[in-house]
Amino acid sequence: MDSDDDCSLPADTMLILQQFLKERNLHQKAEQMKEHSADDIQENWQLSQFWYDTDTKEKLASVVNYFRRQSLGVPKTEPRVALLSCPSLYNHVKAINKDVTLFEFDQRFEAIGADFIHFDYNKAINDDYMDEFRHAFDLVIADPPFLSEECIQKVSTVIKKIANVDCKIILCSGHAVCDWAFKYLDLNICKFEPHHERNLGNEFISYANFDLDEILAKVP
């Protein structure tokens, strides 16, 4: 009778099997995402997640659409859009602009496929972190998970790395971070106020390096 060891798979076969199971798992998650929108994923408060309400998602998506229309020249191109720690915005932006990347710590969102990049702002202190996206994006929308200077500084380091020279930046965060938003990204306070599905105790506002309010006044 063969021993249990004789039933074990060769190392190369085991690697192939593991890769197959990983790809099947990702495929199943992607299929689930088709049936259940990314908006259906519930907030994880331990990750400081608070989803935007519909009006906020539509307004921010309309800004993306404004820049998309501006960029559709010859040759036709879409702006490259980065969403940092604002996963509830993904579906609305993706419906308008196909070139969008979600940088998010919560790995549940890997179900969206290649648009998902696991993102940990604490790794911003590593010089080579996210080097593959250096100066890659035309528009960055960020919602840092914590209202601390350390978090804003590290997220700002990433934003400056991935933003191209003419990149438009929108930061959605608390009023308490206004000095840091200016210090680390040279952003100004806007009148636009993001709102969430759940009422938060902290006052939320927006910051940008362009006239966000003027564009919102132009779009439907």
Side-chain angles (χ1 to χ4, degrees):
M1 180 179 294
D2 293 337
S3 67
D4 291 340
D5 290 338
D6 291 333
C7 296
S8 62
L9 295 174
D12 56 346
T13 304
M14 181 63 72
L15 287 175
I16 294 172
L17 177 60
Q18 290 173 343
Q19 182 63 29
F20 168 77
L21 293 174
K22 180 180 179 180
E23 291 178 357
R24 187 179 68 175
N25 185 44
L26 289 175
H27 176 74
Q28 289 174 342
K29 288 184 177 180
E31 290 300 315
Q32 291 173 358
M33 188 63 77
K34 290 178 182 178
E35 297 176 3
H36 305 287
S37 165
D39 291 335
D40 292 335
I41 294 178
Q42 298 299 308
E43 300 159 322
N44 183 340
W45 291 0
Q46 291 183 337
L47 297 179
S48 190
Q49 289 179 339
F50 304 97
W51 296 164
Y52 296 134
D53 65 11
T54 299
D55 182 65
T56 296
K57 289 184 283 191
E58 289 177 348
K59 285 181 177 177
L60 289 172
S62 72
V63 176
V64 175
N65 192 41
Y66 173 85
F67 288 114
R68 175 183 174 275
R69 293 172 66 88
Q70 294 290 314
S71 68
L72 291 180
V74 181
K76 292 185 176 182
T77 57
E78 285 190 329
R80 294 196 67 184
V81 180
L83 305 178
L84 268 66
S85 302
C86 43
S88 66
L89 190 56
Y90 172 79
N91 277 355
H92 279 70
V93 173
K94 183 67 173 182
I96 291 172
N97 196 88
K98 299 305 180 186
D99 196 342
V100 54
T101 302
L102 174 63
F103 295 92
E104 169 58 37
F105 183 79
D106 188 350
Q107 291 183 306
R108 290 179 297 171
F109 287 92
E110 70 181 0
I112 66 175
D115 288 346
F116 171 85
I117 300 295
H118 185 249
F119 170 61
D120 183 351
Y121 75 87
N122 285 302
K123 294 182 179 179
I125 59 176
N126 301 330
D127 291 338
D128 60 347
Y129 186 56
M130 291 176 59
D131 265 358
E132 64 271 33
F133 300 103
R134 185 179 293 274
H135 307 318
F137 292 95
D138 306 298
L139 173 61
V140 176
I141 304 176
D143 189 339
F146 302 107
L147 305 180
S148 68
E149 182 172 9
E150 178 193 22
C151 180
I152 300 302
Q153 182 180 12
K154 289 179 178 178
V155 170
S156 297
T157 298
V158 172
I159 291 174
K160 287 187 286 189
K161 175 175 284 190
I162 68 175
N164 66 28
V165 65
D166 296 317
C167 183
K168 303 297 188 292
I169 300 170
I170 301 173
L171 181 74
C172 298
S173 191
H175 192 281
V177 311
C178 61
D179 290 340
W180 305 323
F182 179 78
K183 177 181 178 180
Y184 296 113
L185 287 172
D186 196 21
L187 303 181
N188 295 313
I189 295 176
C190 306
K191 294 180 180 178
F192 171 65
E193 296 180 357
H195 293 284
H196 301 80
E197 293 178 351
R198 305 174 190 271
N199 293 325
L200 303 183
N202 297 311
E203 179 186 1
F204 251 66
I205 59 176
S206 61
Y207 308 83
N209 63 347
F210 62 98
D211 197 334
L212 172 61
D213 299 314
E214 181 182 17
I215 290 177
L216 283 171
K218 293 179 181 179
V219 298

